[in-house]
Amino acid sequence: MKTPELGPWLYRFFQEHLLTQRNVSPATIVAYRDTFRLLLRYLQKSRRGDGCSRLLEVLKPDTVLSFLDHLEQQRGNCIRTRNARLAAIRSFVHYLSDWLGPELPPAVARILGIPFKRQVQRLVGFLSRQEIETLLATTDGTWTGQRDHLLFLLLYNTGARIAEILALRVRDVDVEHREIELLGKGRKQRQVPLWPQTQRRLRRWLKDNRWSLEAPLLPNRFGQRLSRAGAAYQLQRLVERASAQLPALKQRHVSPHSFRHSTAMALLEANVPTEVIALYLGHESPKTTHLYVEASLAMKKQVLAKVSPPRVKGRWFRPSEDDLGFLDNL
């Protein structure tokens, strides 16, 4: 593979640092790749005709800030996406700093001073048990319907990320012992138990579709791994059908990740310790699990019920009869 002329350091960052030395996940590679693909195309258009051909000559704080503004204003990206792009660029600058040391242009080093943008921490959205049961009940008996039922049942059973479930192969499932093996963020493996209901669905699915051990567990109709966009599309179809029974679903933003939030909330309201929930969901830190504590209105009501309100009689305004009589006689 020929080293790109525009940035040999960028090539080394991906090929040597991320892939060889850090062995990051494919999802991380894709996220970083998209960041620099957008950045280079932005530089190509915005700096056309300035006679500069080296990436380090144009990689400055004002350039990065303009690129981040472009993402929000022209591309319509949210603050979370903006911060993710900035994180990728800062990682590249850290890599350059380690290798170049004092030779790193001061302007490039100042990129590390660009802060992440604050954003509103929205409450975690989740589905109630009734909503999940209604969604699962809307699947039909076709091959696609059976796959979708198993897909969303697994999401709720395991609390896994959609990428973790779609990456499952047949060999990752142990039907007899009712457990599956997931590969999460940072290439961390974890085993998750299954309900008997999920076990029965899996056994029937594998019996009807005799795939090899390396085949995707939940493929598309071509036998390839189902994409995240495909899973989201199938879910929206279920939401449209389920809205006939639960009209409130029409006003909700329901995504495959909603099942993960729903599992966390169900465990939390069942009084499972947050540390155990963090292990179950594969969270990097239990702090992430505390987001669900903030969103649990049921738990807050239970806490409030244990506190007695102050016993103070309210004082109501009562006009005197003389005042009323004066006004009546005007």
mmCIF file of all heavy atoms in Angstrom, residues 221-251:
data_model
loop_
_atom_site.group_PDB
_atom_site.id
_atom_site.type_symbol
_atom_site.label_atom_id
_atom_site.label_comp_id
_atom_site.label_asym_id
_atom_site.label_seq_id
_atom_site.Cartn_x
_atom_site.Cartn_y
_atom_site.Cartn_z
ATOM 1 N N ARG A 221 -31.456 -11.446 4.453
ATOM 2 C CA ARG A 221 -31.994 -12.475 3.570
ATOM 3 C C ARG A 221 -30.963 -13.021 2.594
ATOM 4 O O ARG A 221 -31.216 -14.014 1.913
ATOM 5 C CB ARG A 221 -33.212 -11.947 2.805
ATOM 6 C CG ARG A 221 -32.964 -10.716 1.976
ATOM 7 C CD ARG A 221 -34.266 -10.070 1.555
ATOM 8 N NE ARG A 221 -34.069 -8.868 0.759
ATOM 9 C CZ ARG A 221 -34.094 -8.844 -0.552
ATOM 10 N NH1 ARG A 221 -34.297 -9.966 -1.223
ATOM 11 N NH2 ARG A 221 -33.924 -7.707 -1.204
ATOM 12 N N PHE A 222 -29.793 -12.366 2.519
ATOM 13 C CA PHE A 222 -28.727 -12.852 1.650
ATOM 14 C C PHE A 222 -27.704 -13.702 2.409
ATOM 15 O O PHE A 222 -26.691 -14.101 1.851
ATOM 16 C CB PHE A 222 -28.012 -11.674 0.983
ATOM 17 C CG PHE A 222 -28.916 -10.818 0.151
ATOM 18 C CD1 PHE A 222 -29.270 -9.552 0.573
ATOM 19 C CD2 PHE A 222 -29.433 -11.293 -1.052
ATOM 20 C CE1 PHE A 222 -30.112 -8.757 -0.190
ATOM 21 C CE2 PHE A 222 -30.280 -10.506 -1.826
ATOM 22 C CZ PHE A 222 -30.616 -9.231 -1.386
ATOM 23 N N GLY A 223 -27.967 -13.913 3.708
ATOM 24 C CA GLY A 223 -27.059 -14.719 4.504
ATOM 25 C C GLY A 223 -25.895 -13.951 5.083
ATOM 26 O O GLY A 223 -25.028 -14.531 5.726
ATOM 27 N N GLN A 224 -25.873 -12.629 4.865
ATOM 28 C CA GLN A 224 -24.803 -11.796 5.403
ATOM 29 C C GLN A 224 -25.243 -11.161 6.715
ATOM 30 O O GLN A 224 -26.420 -11.187 7.076
ATOM 31 C CB GLN A 224 -24.429 -10.713 4.389
ATOM 32 C CG GLN A 224 -23.965 -11.263 3.051
ATOM 33 C CD GLN A 224 -23.826 -10.173 1.996
ATOM 34 O OE1 GLN A 224 -24.361 -9.085 2.146
ATOM 35 N NE2 GLN A 224 -23.094 -10.475 0.930
ATOM 36 N N ARG A 225 -24.285 -10.594 7.426
ATOM 37 C CA ARG A 225 -24.599 -9.983 8.715
ATOM 38 C C ARG A 225 -25.581 -8.833 8.524
ATOM 39 O O ARG A 225 -25.391 -7.974 7.674
ATOM 40 C CB ARG A 225 -23.316 -9.474 9.374
ATOM 41 C CG ARG A 225 -23.555 -8.808 10.731
ATOM 42 C CD ARG A 225 -22.284 -8.226 11.295
ATOM 43 N NE ARG A 225 -21.274 -9.241 11.549
ATOM 44 C CZ ARG A 225 -20.089 -8.971 12.068
ATOM 45 N NH1 ARG A 225 -19.752 -7.720 12.340
ATOM 46 N NH2 ARG A 225 -19.221 -9.959 12.270
ATOM 47 N N LEU A 226 -26.629 -8.808 9.327
ATOM 48 C CA LEU A 226 -27.615 -7.734 9.274
ATOM 49 C C LEU A 226 -26.962 -6.429 9.719
ATOM 50 O O LEU A 226 -26.234 -6.398 10.710
ATOM 51 C CB LEU A 226 -28.799 -8.069 10.185
ATOM 52 C CG LEU A 226 -29.973 -7.080 10.212
ATOM 53 C CD1 LEU A 226 -30.667 -7.023 8.864
ATOM 54 C CD2 LEU A 226 -30.967 -7.459 11.309
ATOM 55 N N SER A 227 -27.209 -5.363 8.994
ATOM 56 C CA SER A 227 -26.612 -4.078 9.321
ATOM 57 C C SER A 227 -27.412 -3.365 10.403
ATOM 58 O O SER A 227 -28.575 -3.701 10.662
ATOM 59 C CB SER A 227 -26.534 -3.188 8.082
ATOM 60 O OG SER A 227 -27.845 -2.852 7.634
ATOM 61 N N ARG A 228 -26.794 -2.363 11.019
ATOM 62 C CA ARG A 228 -27.494 -1.572 12.028
ATOM 63 C C ARG A 228 -28.664 -0.812 11.403
ATOM 64 O O ARG A 228 -29.727 -0.673 12.018
ATOM 65 C CB ARG A 228 -26.522 -0.599 12.701
ATOM 66 C CG ARG A 228 -25.411 -1.279 13.458
ATOM 67 C CD ARG A 228 -24.466 -0.298 14.100
ATOM 68 N NE ARG A 228 -25.127 0.539 15.082
ATOM 69 C CZ ARG A 228 -24.485 1.329 15.944
ATOM 70 N NH1 ARG A 228 -23.170 1.372 15.924
ATOM 71 N NH2 ARG A 228 -25.148 2.067 16.801
ATOM 72 N N ALA A 229 -28.449 -0.321 10.183
ATOM 73 C CA ALA A 229 -29.534 0.382 9.497
ATOM 74 C C ALA A 229 -30.693 -0.569 9.220
ATOM 75 O O ALA A 229 -31.862 -0.182 9.328
ATOM 76 C CB ALA A 229 -29.014 0.991 8.200
ATOM 77 N N GLY A 230 -30.382 -1.804 8.860
ATOM 78 C CA GLY A 230 -31.426 -2.793 8.613
ATOM 79 C C GLY A 230 -32.205 -3.110 9.866
ATOM 80 O O GLY A 230 -33.440 -3.231 9.837
ATOM 81 N N ALA A 231 -31.517 -3.246 10.998
ATOM 82 C CA ALA A 231 -32.191 -3.517 12.263
ATOM 83 C C ALA A 231 -33.079 -2.350 12.670
ATOM 84 O O ALA A 231 -34.211 -2.540 13.137
ATOM 85 C CB ALA A 231 -31.160 -3.812 13.351
ATOM 86 N N ALA A 232 -32.587 -1.122 12.479
ATOM 87 C CA ALA A 232 -33.377 0.057 12.824
ATOM 88 C C ALA A 232 -34.617 0.153 11.935
ATOM 89 O O ALA A 232 -35.700 0.538 12.402
ATOM 90 C CB ALA A 232 -32.519 1.315 12.685
ATOM 91 N N TYR A 233 -34.465 -0.201 10.665
ATOM 92 C CA TYR A 233 -35.606 -0.160 9.745
ATOM 93 C C TYR A 233 -36.678 -1.169 10.170
ATOM 94 O O TYR A 233 -37.876 -0.845 10.189
ATOM 95 C CB TYR A 233 -35.129 -0.459 8.333
ATOM 96 C CG TYR A 233 -36.252 -0.616 7.326
ATOM 97 C CD1 TYR A 233 -36.946 0.489 6.850
ATOM 98 C CD2 TYR A 233 -36.609 -1.889 6.859
ATOM 99 C CE1 TYR A 233 -37.985 0.337 5.943
ATOM 100 C CE2 TYR A 233 -37.639 -2.045 5.951
ATOM 101 C CZ TYR A 233 -38.337 -0.928 5.498
ATOM 102 O OH TYR A 233 -39.357 -1.082 4.595
ATOM 103 N N GLN A 234 -36.261 -2.371 10.508
ATOM 104 C CA GLN A 234 -37.224 -3.392 10.932
ATOM 105 C C GLN A 234 -37.923 -2.973 12.220
ATOM 106 O O GLN A 234 -39.122 -3.231 12.393
ATOM 107 C CB GLN A 234 -36.511 -4.724 11.132
ATOM 108 C CG GLN A 234 -35.957 -5.345 9.857
ATOM 109 C CD GLN A 234 -37.044 -5.631 8.833
ATOM 110 O OE1 GLN A 234 -37.036 -5.121 7.711
ATOM 111 N NE2 GLN A 234 -38.006 -6.447 9.218
ATOM 112 N N LEU A 235 -37.190 -2.315 13.120
ATOM 113 C CA LEU A 235 -37.805 -1.868 14.363
ATOM 114 C C LEU A 235 -38.853 -0.795 14.102
ATOM 115 O O LEU A 235 -39.924 -0.806 14.723
ATOM 116 C CB LEU A 235 -36.724 -1.339 15.308
ATOM 117 C CG LEU A 235 -37.225 -0.766 16.641
ATOM 118 C CD1 LEU A 235 -38.024 -1.808 17.407
ATOM 119 C CD2 LEU A 235 -36.059 -0.255 17.481
ATOM 120 N N GLN A 236 -38.567 0.125 13.198
ATOM 121 C CA GLN A 236 -39.542 1.174 12.900
ATOM 122 C C GLN A 236 -40.825 0.596 12.313
ATOM 123 O O GLN A 236 -41.917 1.102 12.574
ATOM 124 C CB GLN A 236 -38.933 2.202 11.945
ATOM 125 C CG GLN A 236 -37.852 3.064 12.582
ATOM 126 C CD GLN A 236 -38.302 3.698 13.884
ATOM 127 O OE1 GLN A 236 -39.367 4.322 13.948
ATOM 128 N NE2 GLN A 236 -37.500 3.539 14.929
ATOM 129 N N ARG A 237 -40.704 -0.464 11.547
ATOM 130 C CA ARG A 237 -41.896 -1.134 11.020
ATOM 131 C C ARG A 237 -42.718 -1.732 12.154
ATOM 132 O O ARG A 237 -43.959 -1.661 12.149
ATOM 133 C CB ARG A 237 -41.489 -2.224 10.025
ATOM 134 C CG ARG A 237 -40.855 -1.694 8.749
ATOM 135 C CD ARG A 237 -40.566 -2.816 7.783
ATOM 136 N NE ARG A 237 -41.774 -3.519 7.377
ATOM 137 C CZ ARG A 237 -41.804 -4.623 6.631
ATOM 138 N NH1 ARG A 237 -40.657 -5.148 6.218
ATOM 139 N NH2 ARG A 237 -42.937 -5.189 6.307
ATOM 140 N N LEU A 238 -42.038 -2.311 13.134
ATOM 141 C CA LEU A 238 -42.753 -2.864 14.287
ATOM 142 C C LEU A 238 -43.410 -1.755 15.098
ATOM 143 O O LEU A 238 -44.535 -1.923 15.586
ATOM 144 C CB LEU A 238 -41.789 -3.657 15.168
ATOM 145 C CG LEU A 238 -41.205 -4.945 14.581
ATOM 146 C CD1 LEU A 238 -40.291 -5.614 15.591
ATOM 147 C CD2 LEU A 238 -42.310 -5.903 14.156
ATOM 148 N N VAL A 239 -42.709 -0.630 15.250
ATOM 149 C CA VAL A 239 -43.268 0.492 16.007
ATOM 150 C C VAL A 239 -44.532 1.015 15.334
ATOM 151 O O VAL A 239 -45.530 1.325 16.001
ATOM 152 C CB VAL A 239 -42.217 1.617 16.153
ATOM 153 C CG1 VAL A 239 -42.858 2.879 16.729
ATOM 154 C CG2 VAL A 239 -41.071 1.161 17.044
ATOM 155 N N GLU A 240 -44.523 1.101 14.011
ATOM 156 C CA GLU A 240 -45.712 1.572 13.287
ATOM 157 C C GLU A 240 -46.894 0.641 13.507
ATOM 158 O O GLU A 240 -48.024 1.093 13.705
ATOM 159 C CB GLU A 240 -45.386 1.664 11.796
ATOM 160 C CG GLU A 240 -44.404 2.774 11.450
ATOM 161 C CD GLU A 240 -44.015 2.769 9.987
ATOM 162 O OE1 GLU A 240 -44.584 1.933 9.239
ATOM 163 O OE2 GLU A 240 -43.158 3.574 9.583
ATOM 164 N N ARG A 241 -46.637 -0.661 13.494
ATOM 165 C CA ARG A 241 -47.731 -1.611 13.712
ATOM 166 C C ARG A 241 -48.199 -1.604 15.166
ATOM 167 O O ARG A 241 -49.390 -1.693 15.450
ATOM 168 C CB ARG A 241 -47.284 -3.016 13.307
ATOM 169 C CG ARG A 241 -47.361 -3.271 11.807
ATOM 170 C CD ARG A 241 -46.987 -4.692 11.476
ATOM 171 N NE ARG A 241 -45.540 -4.835 11.333
ATOM 172 C CZ ARG A 241 -44.932 -5.975 11.048
ATOM 173 N NH1 ARG A 241 -45.646 -7.079 10.898
ATOM 174 N NH2 ARG A 241 -43.629 -6.024 10.912
ATOM 175 N N ALA A 242 -47.236 -1.499 16.100
ATOM 176 C CA ALA A 242 -47.599 -1.507 17.519
ATOM 177 C C ALA A 242 -48.319 -0.234 17.929
ATOM 178 O O ALA A 242 -49.040 -0.218 18.931
ATOM 179 C CB ALA A 242 -46.345 -1.703 18.367
ATOM 180 N N SER A 243 -48.157 0.843 17.162
ATOM 181 C CA SER A 243 -48.806 2.111 17.495
ATOM 182 C C SER A 243 -50.321 2.016 17.418
ATOM 183 O O SER A 243 -51.025 2.841 18.015
ATOM 184 C CB SER A 243 -48.306 3.218 16.561
ATOM 185 O OG SER A 243 -46.920 3.426 16.718
ATOM 186 N N ALA A 244 -50.829 1.029 16.703
ATOM 187 C CA ALA A 244 -52.282 0.841 16.647
ATOM 188 C C ALA A 244 -52.828 0.471 18.020
ATOM 189 O O ALA A 244 -53.960 0.819 18.370
ATOM 190 C CB ALA A 244 -52.632 -0.243 15.628
ATOM 191 N N GLN A 245 -52.023 -0.244 18.820
ATOM 192 C CA GLN A 245 -52.437 -0.620 20.175
ATOM 193 C C GLN A 245 -51.948 0.381 21.217
ATOM 194 O O GLN A 245 -52.628 0.604 22.217
ATOM 195 C CB GLN A 245 -51.893 -2.012 20.518
ATOM 196 C CG GLN A 245 -52.354 -3.114 19.568
ATOM 197 C CD GLN A 245 -51.790 -4.459 19.958
ATOM 198 O OE1 GLN A 245 -51.811 -4.843 21.124
ATOM 199 N NE2 GLN A 245 -51.275 -5.198 18.972
ATOM 200 N N LEU A 246 -50.771 0.939 20.975
ATOM 201 C CA LEU A 246 -50.200 1.918 21.901
ATOM 202 C C LEU A 246 -49.885 3.201 21.129
ATOM 203 O O LEU A 246 -48.767 3.383 20.647
ATOM 204 C CB LEU A 246 -48.929 1.363 22.554
ATOM 205 C CG LEU A 246 -49.096 0.111 23.425
ATOM 206 C CD1 LEU A 246 -47.732 -0.392 23.887
ATOM 207 C CD2 LEU A 246 -49.985 0.404 24.635
ATOM 208 N N PRO A 247 -50.862 4.092 20.966
ATOM 209 C CA PRO A 247 -50.655 5.316 20.175
ATOM 210 C C PRO A 247 -49.491 6.176 20.676
ATOM 211 O O PRO A 247 -48.906 6.938 19.900
ATOM 212 C CB PRO A 247 -51.987 6.058 20.316
ATOM 213 C CG PRO A 247 -52.984 4.984 20.643
ATOM 214 C CD PRO A 247 -52.241 3.987 21.467
ATOM 215 N N ALA A 248 -49.133 6.054 21.961
ATOM 216 C CA ALA A 248 -48.049 6.874 22.506
ATOM 217 C C ALA A 248 -46.717 6.560 21.846
ATOM 218 O O ALA A 248 -45.799 7.391 21.858
ATOM 219 C CB ALA A 248 -47.943 6.670 24.014
ATOM 220 N N LEU A 249 -46.590 5.378 21.259
ATOM 221 C CA LEU A 249 -45.332 5.001 20.609
ATOM 222 C C LEU A 249 -45.015 5.902 19.412
ATOM 223 O O LEU A 249 -43.851 6.052 19.035
ATOM 224 C CB LEU A 249 -45.379 3.545 20.163
ATOM 225 C CG LEU A 249 -45.154 2.480 21.245
ATOM 226 C CD1 LEU A 249 -45.346 1.087 20.665
ATOM 227 C CD2 LEU A 249 -43.771 2.614 21.858
ATOM 228 N N LYS A 250 -46.063 6.477 18.810
ATOM 229 C CA LYS A 250 -45.839 7.343 17.653
ATOM 230 C C LYS A 250 -45.025 8.572 18.020
ATOM 231 O O LYS A 250 -44.304 9.125 17.197
ATOM 232 C CB LYS A 250 -47.180 7.781 17.055
ATOM 233 C CG LYS A 250 -47.981 6.656 16.416
ATOM 234 C CD LYS A 250 -49.260 7.199 15.814
ATOM 235 C CE LYS A 250 -50.068 6.097 15.148
ATOM 236 N NZ LYS A 250 -51.324 6.611 14.557
ATOM 237 N N GLN A 251 -45.158 9.008 19.270
ATOM 238 C CA GLN A 251 -44.464 10.216 19.717
ATOM 239 C C GLN A 251 -43.098 9.908 20.316
ATOM 240 O O GLN A 251 -42.383 10.829 20.715
ATOM 241 C CB GLN A 251 -45.324 10.942 20.769
ATOM 242 C CG GLN A 251 -46.772 11.142 20.384
ATOM 243 C CD GLN A 251 -46.924 11.947 19.112
ATOM 244 O OE1 GLN A 251 -46.139 12.870 18.876
ATOM 245 N NE2 GLN A 251 -47.931 11.640 18.310
#
